[in-house]
């Protein structure tokens, strides 16, 4: 997978990085401003309603109804702001992870064996769909499917290393190994 990323960096990782940067620059700054203005307007309307009710120009039932609507709208605006800030943080993290991955790929050092340090740096998780297909979930939010040859599919040290990272206890490791064995053929190879 890493060798494929090295090969495809110019048409896969570089455009992804540029798109993430463009998205971060234009995505939500305007919307955050609009939401803040809406909250400010709601606060001003609430003050006006309070003054009208106190001066006797507005019925209390109408005041309560309108104030509740304004409070609900303000609450929804604040929830949207929280969501946008969370998305901005996620986008910024993804941007940094993609930039780090691109920098590594630009070195052009193809791999001939598994590098656990490199795995820890860029991979978040590996999902084994079946003995010939795995999905690499990278820290930059990419999910890359990799087809494995029969030789790679039964390579014990690869699986054992991953399983040891996932489960601390030897019994949990054994239970997981048992759960992925589908038949006697898997044991024989």
């Amino acid at each position: 997978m890493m060798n494929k990323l090295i090969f495809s960096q110019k048409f896969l990782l570089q455009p992804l990085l540029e798109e993430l940067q463009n998205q971060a620059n234009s995505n939500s700054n305007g919307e955050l401003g609009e939401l803040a203005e809406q909250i400010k307007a709601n606060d001003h309307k609430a003050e006006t309603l309070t003054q009208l009710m106190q001066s006797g120009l507005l019925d209390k039932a109408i005041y309560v109804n309108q104030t509740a609507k304004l409070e609900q709208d303000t609450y929804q605006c604040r929830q949207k702001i929280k969501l946008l800030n969370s998305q901005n943080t996620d986008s910024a993290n993804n941007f940094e992870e993609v930039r780090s991955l691109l920098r590594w790929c630009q070195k052009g050092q193809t791999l001939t064996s598994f590098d656990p340090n490199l795995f820890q740096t860029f991979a978040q998780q590996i999902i084994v769909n079946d003995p010939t297909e795995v999905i690499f979930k990278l820290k930059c939010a990419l999910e890359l499917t990799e087809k494995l040859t029969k030789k790679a599919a039964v390579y014990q040290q690869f699986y054992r290393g991953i399983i040891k990272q996932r489960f601390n206890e030897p019994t949990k490791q054994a239970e997981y190994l048992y759960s992925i064995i589908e038949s006697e053929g898997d044991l024989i190879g």
Side-chain angles (χ1 to χ4, degrees), residues 6-54:
I6 291 169
F7 175 74
S8 63
Q9 63 180 298
K10 288 183 182 175
F11 63 89
L12 192 140
L13 294 177
Q14 188 66 43
L16 174 62
L17 185 67
E18 290 168 5
E19 184 61 32
L20 287 172
Q21 187 171 23
N22 290 339
Q23 190 178 45
N25 290 339
S26 66
N27 194 15
S28 61
N29 288 340
E31 194 171 351
L32 283 172
E34 289 173 14
L35 291 168
E37 287 298 318
Q38 180 66 36
I39 290 171
K40 196 183 288 186
N42 287 349
D43 290 344
H44 181 69
K45 289 176 187 176
E47 287 176 22
T48 303
L49 287 172
T50 302
Q51 290 171 356
L52 289 172
M53 194 200 66
Q54 288 174 347

Side-chain angles (χ1 to χ4, degrees), residues 2-10 13 100-112 118 122:
M2 294 303 285
N3 290 341
K4 283 182 182 179
L5 288 174
I6 291 169
F7 175 74
S8 63
Q9 63 180 298
K10 288 183 182 175
L13 294 177
S100 177
L101 179 60
L102 180 60
R103 283 184 188 147
W104 183 87
C105 288
Q106 287 172 337
K107 293 176 184 176
Q109 301 171 343
T110 57
L111 299 175
T112 57
L118 191 65
F122 296 114

Side-chain angles (χ1 to χ4, degrees), residues 64-186:
V64 170
N65 185 16
Q66 292 301 312
T67 304
K69 286 180 182 178
L70 289 172
E71 288 174 357
Q72 180 63 29
D73 186 54
T74 299
Y75 173 79
Q76 289 175 352
C77 288
R78 287 194 172 120
Q79 291 303 108
K80 288 178 185 176
I81 288 172
K82 285 181 185 177
L83 178 64
L84 287 171
N85 285 333
S86 173
Q87 289 172 345
N88 287 344
T89 301
D90 291 345
S91 293
N93 290 340
N94 290 345
F95 176 81
E96 289 303 320
E97 292 293 341
V98 170
R99 183 173 16 191
S100 177
L101 179 60
L102 180 60
R103 283 184 188 147
W104 183 87
C105 288
Q106 287 172 337
K107 293 176 184 176
Q109 301 171 343
T110 57
L111 299 175
T112 57
S113 63
F114 178 72
D115 182 346
N117 293 330
L118 191 65
F119 178 80
Q120 290 291 330
T121 301
F122 296 114
Q124 180 178 354
Q125 180 182 17
I126 294 179
I127 300 170
V128 179
N129 282 341
D130 62 51
T132 61
E133 182 181 278
V134 296
I135 298 173
F136 289 90
K137 290 180 109 178
L138 303 182
K139 291 178 182 177
C140 65
L142 282 174
E143 293 185 16
L144 306 173
T145 302
E146 190 69 33
K147 300 285 185 192
L148 302 175
T149 63
K150 182 67 174 169
K151 180 181 175 185
V154 295
Y155 183 57
Q156 293 178 1
Q157 297 306 318
F158 174 78
Y159 282 121
R160 292 211 183 276
I162 299 302
I163 291 168
K164 284 181 182 178
Q165 289 175 359
R166 191 169 182 191
F167 301 102
N168 293 333
E169 299 175 29
T171 54
K172 294 292 182 192
Q173 293 172 13
E175 289 169 356
Y176 180 74
L177 273 172
Y178 180 79
S179 72
I180 63 172
I181 297 171
E182 293 184 16
S183 68
E184 292 175 21
D186 288 346

